[in-house]
Protein backbone atom coordinates (compact mmCIF):
# COMPACT_ATOMS: atom_id res chain seq x y z
CA UNK A 1 0.00 0.00 0.00
CA UNK A 2 1.53 3.39 -0.92
CA UNK A 3 2.49 5.75 1.90
CA UNK A 4 0.35 8.83 2.49
CA UNK A 5 3.43 10.90 3.27
CA UNK A 6 4.17 13.34 0.44
CA UNK A 7 7.75 12.10 -0.06
CA UNK A 8 7.21 8.46 0.89
CA UNK A 9 7.41 7.50 4.63
CA UNK A 10 11.03 6.56 5.46
CA UNK A 11 12.57 8.86 2.87
CA UNK A 12 10.62 11.80 4.27
CA UNK A 13 11.76 11.04 7.85
CA UNK A 14 15.38 10.78 6.66
CA UNK A 15 15.08 14.12 4.89
CA UNK A 16 13.65 15.76 8.02
CA UNK A 17 16.58 14.42 10.05
CA UNK A 18 19.08 15.65 7.48
CA UNK A 19 17.51 19.13 7.42
CA UNK A 20 17.54 19.31 11.23
CA UNK A 21 21.20 18.26 11.34
CA UNK A 22 22.06 20.85 8.69
CA UNK A 23 20.33 23.64 10.64
CA UNK A 24 22.17 22.65 13.82
CA UNK A 25 25.52 22.58 12.02
CA UNK A 26 24.84 26.01 10.49
CA UNK A 27 23.83 27.60 13.81
CA UNK A 28 26.42 25.93 16.06
CA UNK A 29 29.36 28.25 15.23
CA UNK A 30 27.19 31.27 16.05
CA UNK A 31 26.18 29.83 19.42
CA UNK A 32 29.79 29.00 20.27
CA UNK A 33 31.02 32.47 19.27
CA UNK A 34 28.28 34.13 21.34
CA UNK A 35 29.33 32.10 24.37
CA UNK A 36 32.75 33.65 24.97
CA UNK A 37 32.32 33.31 28.76
CA UNK A 38 31.47 29.58 28.63
CA UNK A 39 33.76 26.93 30.07
CA UNK A 40 35.90 24.92 27.72
CA UNK A 41 37.04 21.34 28.20
CA UNK A 42 40.45 22.72 29.18
CA UNK A 43 38.78 24.78 31.94
CA UNK A 44 37.11 21.63 33.23
CA UNK A 45 40.41 19.74 33.16
CA UNK A 46 42.05 22.56 35.15
CA UNK A 47 39.23 22.49 37.70
CA UNK A 48 39.55 18.73 38.08
CA UNK A 49 43.31 19.08 38.60
CA UNK A 50 42.76 21.76 41.23
CA UNK A 51 40.21 19.67 43.13
CA UNK A 52 42.43 16.58 42.93
CA UNK A 53 45.41 18.48 44.30
CA UNK A 54 43.40 20.01 47.16
CA UNK A 55 41.57 16.84 48.24
CA UNK A 56 44.36 15.31 50.40
CA UNK A 57 44.83 18.57 52.34
CA UNK A 58 41.09 18.93 52.94
CA UNK A 59 40.70 15.29 53.97
CA UNK A 60 43.49 15.70 56.56
CA UNK A 61 41.44 18.46 58.21
CA UNK A 62 38.16 16.57 58.60
CA UNK A 63 36.91 13.18 59.73
CA UNK A 64 33.58 11.45 60.17
CA UNK A 65 32.22 10.61 63.58
CA UNK A 66 29.46 7.97 63.70
CA UNK A 67 27.24 6.58 66.44
CA UNK A 68 24.43 4.02 66.65
CA UNK A 69 21.07 5.00 68.09
CA UNK A 70 18.65 2.24 69.13
CA UNK A 71 15.01 2.76 69.97
CA UNK A 72 11.91 0.67 70.66
CA UNK A 73 9.27 0.85 67.96
CA UNK A 74 9.51 1.99 64.37
CA UNK A 75 11.43 5.29 64.82
CA UNK A 76 15.02 6.08 65.84
CA UNK A 77 16.10 9.73 65.75
CA UNK A 78 19.69 10.93 65.42
CA UNK A 79 20.89 13.64 67.81
CA UNK A 80 21.24 17.22 66.59
CA UNK A 81 24.18 17.63 64.22
CA UNK A 82 24.12 14.00 63.10
CA UNK A 83 22.55 12.62 59.92
CA UNK A 84 21.20 9.09 59.52
CA UNK A 85 23.05 7.17 56.82
CA UNK A 86 21.53 3.72 57.33
CA UNK A 87 18.78 2.07 59.32
CA UNK A 88 18.14 -1.41 60.66
CA UNK A 89 14.77 -2.83 61.64
CA UNK A 90 13.64 -5.62 63.94
CA UNK A 91 11.22 -8.41 63.01
CA UNK A 92 13.19 -9.13 59.82
CA UNK A 93 11.90 -5.94 58.20
CA UNK A 94 14.09 -4.61 55.41
CA UNK A 95 11.91 -1.65 54.40
CA UNK A 96 12.87 1.69 55.88
CA UNK A 97 13.14 5.37 54.99
CA UNK A 98 14.64 8.51 56.50
CA UNK A 99 12.17 11.16 57.60
CA UNK A 100 12.99 14.87 57.90
CA UNK A 101 16.72 14.14 57.39
CA UNK A 102 16.87 13.09 61.05
CA UNK A 103 14.83 9.94 61.79
CA UNK A 104 14.99 6.32 60.65
CA UNK A 105 11.52 4.87 60.08
CA UNK A 106 10.89 1.14 59.70
CA UNK A 107 7.93 0.60 57.38
CA UNK A 108 6.72 -2.84 58.50
CA UNK A 109 3.91 -3.30 61.01
CA UNK A 110 4.59 -4.09 64.70
CA UNK A 111 8.33 -3.32 64.64
CA UNK A 112 9.94 -4.02 68.01
CA UNK A 113 13.18 -2.03 67.49
CA UNK A 114 14.88 0.36 65.07
CA UNK A 115 18.56 1.34 64.80
CA UNK A 116 19.90 4.47 63.15
CA UNK A 117 23.52 4.75 61.97
CA UNK A 118 24.18 8.47 62.51
CA UNK A 119 27.25 10.38 61.31
CA UNK A 120 28.62 13.91 61.18
CA UNK A 121 31.71 15.53 59.70
CA UNK A 122 34.03 17.13 62.26
CA UNK A 123 37.22 19.17 61.98
CA UNK A 124 40.43 17.62 63.36
Amino acid sequence: MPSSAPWGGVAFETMKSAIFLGVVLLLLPGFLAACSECCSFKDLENLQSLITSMAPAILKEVRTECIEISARGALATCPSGYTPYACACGMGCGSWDIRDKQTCHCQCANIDWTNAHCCKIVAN
Side-chain angles (χ1 to χ4, degrees):
M1 176 170 212
S3 171
S4 61
W7 296 47
V10 175
F12 183 66
E13 290 300 317
T14 304
M15 183 181 289
K16 282 191 336 187
S17 297
I19 291 171
F20 177 76
L21 180 61
V23 169
V24 168
L25 290 175
L26 285 173
L27 296 176
L28 187 61
F31 285 128
L32 293 177
C35 188
S36 61
E37 306 248 342
C38 292
C39 294
S40 68
F41 287 116
K42 187 65 177 166
D43 294 331
L44 294 176
E45 288 174 354
N46 291 341
L47 179 60
Q48 181 181 3
S49 296
L50 177 64
I51 291 171
T52 302
S53 68
M54 291 176 62
I58 292 170
L59 292 176
K60 286 180 185 176
E61 300 298 321
V62 297
R63 62 182 169 79
T64 56
E65 181 178 292
C66 299
I67 58 174
E68 293 291 327
I69 300 296
S70 296
R72 291 190 176 275
L75 300 172
T77 301
C78 293
S80 180
Y82 286 84
T83 302
Y85 284 92
C87 307
C89 307
M91 311 292 288
C93 178
S95 297
W96 54 268
D97 61 88
I98 296 174
R99 293 185 171 178
D100 301 321
K101 299 180 183 178
Q102 202 68 29
T103 301
C104 282
H105 167 244
C106 292
Q107 298 174 350
C108 301
N110 303 317
I111 295 297
D112 55 348
W113 59 266
T114 301
N115 281 354
H117 184 72
C118 308
C119 298
K120 69 178 179 178
I121 297 174
V122 294
N124 286 335

